């Protein structure tokens, strides 16, 4: 006998994601899972008829977090259609913004959106600040903001929240859940870093704004290059960027990574059991271009590739023509009755089929506003773990050193990574790898300019035809596709990271990454599904941005039904 449980919304900020699970009541194991985006996006239709030189500006409004990456893909797709090659300085500037955005996104995701799935903030009230200081020094020689006086102040701030009866950002948690494994002192350490990160995340955001013009929606990318040339030629602006990244990297080194080691040690049992592992296929489109060649020949700092069935002996090339979006279980239909289309032929025709009478998803038909992207007919996981798995299999020395070094420290085999815990730790390791690369990025730019290359823009002639761009956003593989006819956008499709991971089943009933990661998950208390929340958050789910209105006890105030 299975009982159905609905978790909606499951995200802390980036909402419109609903998870339904069926749990075997005899052993509390998840038997079935359905992932549903409950908001229609429709940006593809907004793009039609636009000047292709403007699509980057529109595309970045798809998201309120990874805005730069949609902006960059939209501009790149137009550059591909026009046959534009970037000057090296423009590519390097885009990489500098990419690095700052990734550091900002990863640290913000962990501390503000995911960390509370691992630490119990209320338990921290029982902590001994002296003991917490001693524990912090076990995980780093000079831990971030670790002292008796600091931890005492943090505990007092947390107590003020609780005594006020308004837990604020901590409301709605499963505090006291039996699957929390940290001691009160360990909870206090991570709670302290949660508060620290509220200030630290501003630094990496300011760094991205130096060359991007503003944050979160940058303004400096144009088809053919960059407009922020004067900032790139100003030694003071470059030094400011480096200072802000260094301060962010210091937090990563002395707070983020020690916290991940603490979590990995305490939750290693769940990791070694493979909880949350899900799909066995991992894909990356490559992060941070190292040259200006067409995408298929281009080298990347984190390489492109595909690992199938966790076989690390072979990295397959990614063929863009093998990508298709299926709509068998999505609230869309395709003209002519097709169920799978390549993005260049893609259509965005909403076809909402409604819910069951009891308000649950009609999983036998369409049940999500997300299509089901598949690579050569197979579901794949994308994101930081996928990027590191592909890089590791490709023999990338920096990634192999980081991943093997971490598992050696914890004393676990490589299979540790195929889990919710592994996915969470991989994001932190990638943050350090990127931060360590920034000085080289800056040097490459300044040396290229010093050698006499001051080009930040290449002229072009607009053309009709197809264009596409593939790359990595912090959450995973992101591609934009367009067709230009008579100087205007005739068709546009964006295949985004959360689409790959959060997709509903396809026509062969193959689950997407979220759904696959939840099935077989044991639960200690299905009425408080912490394990499910933890696994979904480990992917950094991002649907269309939304505001959820709750009272101070975390209860829903009102529900609105909108006919579409």
């Amino acid at each position: 006998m299975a009982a159905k449980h609905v978790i909606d919304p499951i995200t802390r900020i980036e909402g419109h994601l609903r998870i339904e699970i069926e749990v075997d009541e005899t052993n509390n194991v998840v038997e079935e899972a359905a992932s549903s985006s409950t908001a229609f996006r429709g940006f593809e239709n907004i793009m039609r008829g636009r000047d292709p030189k403007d699509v980057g500006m529109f595309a970045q409004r798809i998201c309120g977090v990874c805005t730069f990456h949609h902006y960059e893909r939209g501009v790149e797709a137009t550059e591909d259609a026009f046959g534009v090659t970037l000057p090296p300085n423009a590519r390097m500037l885009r990489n500098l913004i990419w690095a700052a955005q990734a550091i900002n996104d990863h640290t913000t995701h962990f501390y503000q959106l995911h960390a509370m799935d691992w630490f119990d903030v209320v338990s921290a009230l029982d902590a001994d600040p002296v003991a917490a200081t001693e524990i912090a020094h076990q995980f780093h020689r000079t831990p971030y903001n670790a002292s008796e006086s600091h931890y005492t102040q943090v505990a007092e701030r947390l107590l003020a929240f609780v005594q006020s009866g308004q837990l604020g950002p901590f409301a709605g948690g499963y505090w006291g859940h039996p699957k929390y494994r940290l001691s009160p002192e360990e909870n206090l350490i991570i709670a302290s870093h949660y508060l620290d990160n509220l200030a630290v995340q501003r630094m990496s955001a300011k760094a991205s704004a130096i060359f991007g013009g503003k944050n979160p929606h940058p303004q400096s990318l144009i088809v053919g290059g960059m407009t922020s040339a004067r900032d790139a030629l100003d030694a003071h602006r470059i030094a400011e960027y480096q200072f802000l990244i260094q301060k962010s990297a210091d937090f990563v080194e002395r707070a983020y990574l020690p916290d991940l080691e603490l979590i990995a040690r305490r939750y290693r049992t769940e990791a070694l059991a493979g909880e949350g592992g899900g799909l066995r296929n991992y894909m990356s489109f490559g992060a941070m271009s190292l040259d200006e060649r067409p995408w298929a020949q281009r080298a990347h700092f984190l390489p492109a590739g595909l690992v199938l069935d966790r076989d690390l002996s072979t990295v397959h090339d990614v063929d863009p023509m093998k990508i298709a979006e299926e709509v068998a279980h999505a609230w869309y239909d395709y003209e002519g009755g097709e169920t799978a289309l390549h993005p260049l032929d893609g259509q965005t025709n909403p076809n909402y089929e409604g819910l069951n009478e009891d308000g649950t998803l009609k999983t036998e038909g369409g049940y999500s506003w997300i299509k089901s992207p598949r690579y050569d007919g197979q579901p794949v996981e994308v994101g930081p773990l996928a990027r590191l798995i592909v890089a590791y299999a490709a023999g990338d020395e920096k990634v192999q050193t980081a991943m093997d070094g971490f598992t050696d420290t914890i004393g676990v085999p490589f299979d540790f990574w195929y889990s919710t815990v592994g996915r969470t730790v991989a994001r932190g390791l990638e943050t350090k790898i990127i931060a360590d690369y920034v000085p080289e990025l800056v040097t490459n730019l300044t040396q290229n300019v010093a050698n006499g290359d001051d080009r930040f823009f290449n002229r072009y002639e607009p053309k009709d035809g197809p264009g596409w761009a593939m790359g990595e956003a912090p959450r995973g593989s992101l591609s934009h596709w367009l067709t230009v006819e008579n100087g205007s956008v005739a068709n546009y499709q964006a295949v985004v990271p959360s689409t790959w991971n959060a997709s509903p089943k396809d026509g062969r009933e193959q689950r997407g990454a979220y759904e696959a990661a939840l099935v077989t998950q044991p639960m200690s208390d299905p009425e408080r599904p912490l394990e499910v929340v933890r696994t979904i958050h480990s992917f950094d789910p991002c649907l269309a941005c939304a505001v959820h209105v709750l009272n101070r006890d975390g209860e829903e105030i009102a529900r609105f039904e909108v006919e579409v």
Side-chain angles (χ1 to χ4, degrees):
M1 187 67 181
K4 179 167 288 188
H5 299 264
V6 179
I7 311 163
D8 182 13
I10 196 169
T11 46
R12 294 194 190 280
I13 295 177
E14 298 125 317
H16 297 318
L17 178 65
R18 173 192 185 112
I19 296 293
E20 291 188 2
I21 54 173
E22 293 181 13
V23 180
D24 186 333
E25 293 183 301
T26 62
N27 57 11
N28 281 350
V29 171
V30 177
E31 289 187 335
E32 189 57 272
S35 168
S36 172
S37 169
T38 57
F40 175 63
R41 186 180 63 197
F43 261 80
E44 290 87 348
N45 292 342
I46 294 173
M47 297 295 189
R48 290 181 177 176
R50 305 284 180 181
D51 187 324
K53 297 189 293 296
D54 294 337
V55 298
M57 284 292 184
F58 287 101
Q60 65 171 293
R61 299 292 169 174
I62 290 174
C63 185
V65 180
C66 43
T67 57
F68 163 74
H69 306 283
H70 288 288
Y71 185 20
E72 185 180 35
R73 288 295 90 73
V75 170
E76 287 180 346
T78 301
E79 289 169 343
D80 184 56
F82 290 177
V84 181
T85 299
L86 278 182
N89 289 336
R91 171 181 57 79
M92 294 176 195
L93 274 184
R94 293 182 187 183
N95 282 345
L96 286 171
I97 301 173
W98 196 101
Q101 285 284 101
I103 295 168
N104 177 267
D105 192 272
H106 284 354
T107 52
T108 300
H109 163 260
F110 177 70
Y111 284 102
Q112 311 309 322
L113 305 178
H114 187 34
M116 285 182 284
D117 302 332
W118 305 101
F119 81 93
D120 186 336
V121 64
V122 177
S123 163
L125 296 175
D126 298 326
D128 175 358
V130 174
T133 305
E134 294 173 353
I135 292 171
H137 280 82
Q138 294 172 12
F139 289 88
H140 197 278
R141 186 168 55 85
T142 56
Y144 199 89
N145 267 351
S147 68
E148 179 184 353
S149 60
H150 177 74
Y151 287 140
T152 299
Q153 291 175 2
V154 171
E156 290 173 351
R157 290 179 66 182
L158 297 177
L159 182 61
F161 268 118
V162 174
Q163 290 179 335
S164 71
Q166 300 183 52
L167 277 173
F170 307 128
Y174 301 124
W175 313 128
H177 194 283
K179 295 300 284 187
Y180 280 117
R181 296 189 180 278
L182 304 188
S183 69
E185 288 73 23
E186 293 166 343
N187 285 317
L188 180 60
I189 291 170
I190 303 184
S192 171
H193 294 158
Y194 169 97
L195 297 172
D196 290 331
N197 183 248
L198 292 172
V200 170
Q201 64 174 306
R202 186 172 63 246
M203 299 178 188
S204 48
K206 289 174 68 175
S208 70
I210 287 176
F211 300 122
K214 63 190 284 286
N215 185 287
H217 291 95
Q219 304 288 304
S220 60
L221 277 67
I222 54 174
V223 174
M226 298 288 291
T227 65
S228 50
R230 293 187 65 179
D231 292 303
L233 298 173
D234 185 333
H236 294 289
R237 295 292 277 167
I238 293 175
E240 184 181 7
Y241 174 92
Q242 289 180 297
F243 172 78
L244 293 168
I245 294 297
Q246 286 170 358
K247 296 289 286 185
S248 303
D250 180 58
F251 177 79
V252 171
E253 179 72 32
R254 299 196 291 132
Y256 190 9
L257 293 179
D259 288 347
L260 292 177
E261 181 183 339
L262 173 59
I263 288 170
R265 289 186 181 279
R266 299 298 178 262
Y267 292 92
R268 57 181 286 162
T269 302
E270 287 86 343
L272 296 179
E275 292 185 15
L279 297 176
R280 301 173 64 86
N281 303 327
Y282 304 89
M283 184 175 72
S284 169
F285 291 163
M288 288 192 280
S289 305
L290 299 180
D291 57 63
E292 295 77 41
R293 293 178 295 176
W295 180 85
Q297 295 88 44
R298 191 178 302 165
H300 295 88
F301 175 68
L302 292 172
L306 191 72
V307 171
L308 299 175
D309 199 27
R310 297 182 182 170
D311 178 7
L312 299 179
S313 68
T314 305
V315 177
H316 302 268
D317 291 336
V318 175
D319 181 351
M321 296 302 109
K322 292 184 177 180
I323 295 172
E325 290 193 291
E326 303 194 17
V327 295
H329 286 289
W331 286 319
Y332 299 93
D333 58 21
Y334 288 154
E335 297 172 3
E338 301 284 347
T339 57
L341 289 175
H342 185 271
L344 282 176
D345 302 316
Q347 302 171 14
T348 305
N349 308 319
N351 180 31
Y352 184 62
E353 300 174 34
L355 304 174
N356 293 316
E357 290 185 359
D358 64 356
T360 58
L361 300 170
K362 292 181 177 178
T363 52
E364 71 279 5
Y367 63 89
S368 177
W369 284 114
I370 286 180
K371 299 176 184 177
S372 302
R374 295 293 184 261
Y375 181 84
D376 200 18
Q378 299 193 62
V380 299
E381 177 177 336
V382 301
L385 175 62
R387 282 194 291 270
L388 295 197
I389 293 290
V390 169
Y392 189 98
D396 188 295
E397 187 175 347
K398 60 181 179 294
V399 171
Q400 290 183 339
T401 299
M403 296 183 79
D404 288 341
F406 192 89
T407 50
D408 287 347
T409 298
I410 304 300
V412 293
F414 191 86
D415 281 356
F416 163 89
W417 298 107
Y418 304 130
S419 65
T420 297
V421 181
R423 190 177 298 110
T424 298
V425 175
R427 180 172 280 103
L429 289 193
E430 185 182 67
T431 313
K432 177 171 170 52
I433 289 169
I434 293 168
D436 288 347
Y437 182 50
V438 166
E440 184 176 338
L441 279 172
V442 173
T443 298
N444 291 342
L445 173 65
T446 54
Q447 285 186 346
N448 196 56
V449 172
N451 290 335
D453 183 358
D454 60 357
R455 296 170 300 137
F456 287 86
F457 174 76
N458 281 338
R459 296 189 179 278
Y460 57 87
E461 290 294 330
K463 300 176 184 175
D464 281 2
W468 49 270
M470 299 169 62
E472 289 291 307
R475 288 181 173 83
S477 303
L478 172 66
S479 59
H480 284 215
W481 313 73
L482 88 169
T483 302
V484 182
E485 292 179 3
N486 299 319
S488 298
V489 175
N491 197 14
Y492 201 95
Q493 293 294 315
V495 186
V496 309
S498 289
T499 317
W500 286 99
N501 288 335
S503 65
K505 289 180 180 177
D506 57 31
R508 282 147 292 173
E509 302 299 304
Q510 296 181 111
R511 300 182 179 93
Y514 289 3
E515 295 178 344
L518 294 178
V519 173
T520 72
Q521 169 68 52
M523 303 179 67
S524 58
D525 180 1
E527 297 300 322
R528 295 188 297 163
L530 177 63
E531 298 91 336
V532 172
V533 172
R534 187 178 280 165
T535 291
I536 295 299
H537 287 174
S538 73
F539 286 93
D540 191 8
C542 181
L543 288 299
C545 290
V547 176
H548 303 290
V549 182
L550 306 175
N551 68 13
R552 67 184 188 183
D553 296 322
E555 298 170 338
E556 183 176 276
I557 293 174
R559 175 171 296 190
F560 302 92
E561 294 186 2
V562 180
E563 294 183 0
V564 296

